[in-house]
Amino acid sequence: MAPRCWRWWHWSAWPRTRPPPTRSTPSFRQHFSTQEKTPQICVVGSGPAGFYTAQYLLKHHPQAHVDIYEKQLVPFGLVRFGVAPDHPEVKSYGAEDHQALDIPGEELPGVFSARSFVGWYNGLPENQELAPDLSCDTAVILGQGNVALDVARILLTPPEHLEKTDITKAALGVLRQSQVKTVWLVGRRGPLQVAFTIKELREMIQLPGTRPILDPEEFLGLQDRIKEIPRPRKRLTELLLQTATQKPRAEEAAHLASGSRAWGLRFFRSPQQVLPSPDGRRVAGIRLAVTRLEGVGEAIRAVPTGDMEDLPCGLVLSSIGYKSRPIDPSVPFDLKLGVIPNMEGRVVDVPGLYCSGWVKTGPTGVIGTTMNDSFLTGQMLLQDLKSGLLASGPRPGSAAIQALLSSRGVRPVSFSDWEKLDAKEVAQGQGSGKPREKLVDRQEMLRLLGR
């Protein structure tokens, strides 16, 4: 299929559930003459970073003309495709690829990246052929961040609790047939280094019909160290410690005993090999190296002790990080760090080119971080424009892109086209009480648009 592009002229294209600005929003305001020529600005990518950058530019330079281009047939990036369907209030961010495990057996059926699994149940067209086999009893998630908890929660949530979300019909059907009863979240380091947040942890602990499995021995000595921990980490660690060591009351014990499903955290374990079934056709387990921590502070790292442990499972999901891909040979890219080399958003040695989001910073932070970072990129661009560092003179802007696409026989999908698809999705969801039933087939989308 030929590449598609999006064009937005106004900020009104942001989703209905856009989060409110935070107090840490930069208070930068640039003043431009109304006689100044209209700057033509192109934003590639319609995820949160792209939209926040466009918002800042339009707010602080009303004469600016901003076009946003997107490779998918629908906008909003991982706001649409990366957020758990039962967390519609949470707006995500992301990159196009995931970190590979680089261990033997990674190619076996039954091994997926968490990113592709999330894309599958969220309706990302390129992940609709994933076909995860959930007929196994145990799943292992490699990683202990919020994405890992999201995936574990979706695997263990009673399907009837997902019926009124925008999870895809196909994914919900597979989850209804799931035999997964136990999910392990494996991390190389210890309880003090988990990357998830207390809200997501508390939700997992309170998940209906499930019980947490935490080994009290892995928390020995933490009680004495809690006083030294910064407050957010302290509260998180206290909740972990309480869950691991506190005996439940009689009524709570009865509730836990009735839970048919369980999830647990395995600390100080590093994946070494995905183990195949006897016939070699799928995953049957994962071999983990037992680790210990060396160093202090930011220099702390997990090193192998020499001991190994095999953990039986029928599904392995890797959630050890996202990474960006190079966009074009003409754009500098650091393959090791997975970022475009930049100084405060200005791409190194390429005047007039800027970056925001994870391709600028690497995979770190939450939506508020992404918003403020995108605003700062917009600020740098407008400063350069005001100071005359950017090339002056008339620019063809989107007209040149339109001419190029036309010469190649490409028909762009417009924002009005998206509104038609959006209306169709909302209408399809109304019958079953869902906010929408996402369209996941590209050809079906194009047919609906008369292509």
Side-chain angles (χ1 to χ4, degrees), residues 311-356:
L311 183 58
C313 62
L315 178 69
V316 174
L317 297 165
S318 170
S319 183
I320 58 174
Y322 286 26
K323 67 177 182 179
S324 296
R325 296 175 180 172
I327 187 174
D328 187 86
S330 64
V331 180
F333 193 80
D334 187 321
L335 290 171
K336 182 178 181 180
L337 298 178
V339 299
I340 293 176
N342 70 93
M343 297 293 291
E344 297 183 306
R346 300 178 175 98
V347 176
V348 174
D349 297 329
V350 188
L353 189 61
Y354 301 80
C355 58
S356 63

Side-chain angles (χ1 to χ4, degrees), residues 101-115:
L101 292 172
D102 291 328
I103 61 175
E106 186 175 7
E107 74 290 344
L108 283 169
V111 181
F112 306 99
S113 73
R115 184 188 187 282

Side-chain angles (χ1 to χ4, degrees), residues 340-400:
I340 293 176
N342 70 93
M343 297 293 291
E344 297 183 306
R346 300 178 175 98
V347 176
V348 174
D349 297 329
V350 188
L353 189 61
Y354 301 80
C355 58
S356 63
W358 278 6
V359 79
K360 171 186 176 182
T361 64
T364 183
V366 294
I367 186 63
T369 314
T370 298
M371 178 181 68
N372 289 322
D373 178 75
S374 299
F375 287 174
L376 289 173
T377 291
Q379 179 181 340
M380 296 302 104
L381 189 157
L382 293 183
Q383 283 183 353
D384 292 349
L385 181 67
K386 184 66 176 179
S387 62
L389 294 178
L390 301 183
S392 59
R395 295 282 171 173
S398 59

Side-chain angles (χ1 to χ4, degrees), residues 247-296:
K247 293 184 178 180
R249 298 190 302 269
E251 61 271 20
E252 292 175 339
H255 170 73
L256 292 175
S258 66
S260 60
R261 299 184 177 188
W263 63 275
L265 299 172
R266 301 296 292 269
F267 299 110
F268 306 110
R269 301 291 188 272
S270 177
Q272 301 298 300
Q273 179 183 354
V274 179
L275 304 174
S277 59
D279 61 8
R281 292 184 177 180
R282 63 169 295 111
V283 59
I286 188 161
R287 181 158 294 162
L288 305 169
V290 180
T291 65
R292 66 172 184 272
L293 298 182
E294 288 186 355
V296 294

Side-chain angles (χ1 to χ4, degrees), residues 85-86 120-123 154 162-172 175 434-438:
D86 58 341
W120 167 71
Y121 63 64
N122 270 330
I154 293 299
L162 298 173
E163 289 176 344
K164 303 305 180 183
T165 73
D166 67 356
I167 192 169
T168 66
K169 184 186 300 184
L172 185 59
L175 289 168
K434 300 176 65 174
R436 69 177 60 242
E437 185 64 56
K438 291 178 181 174

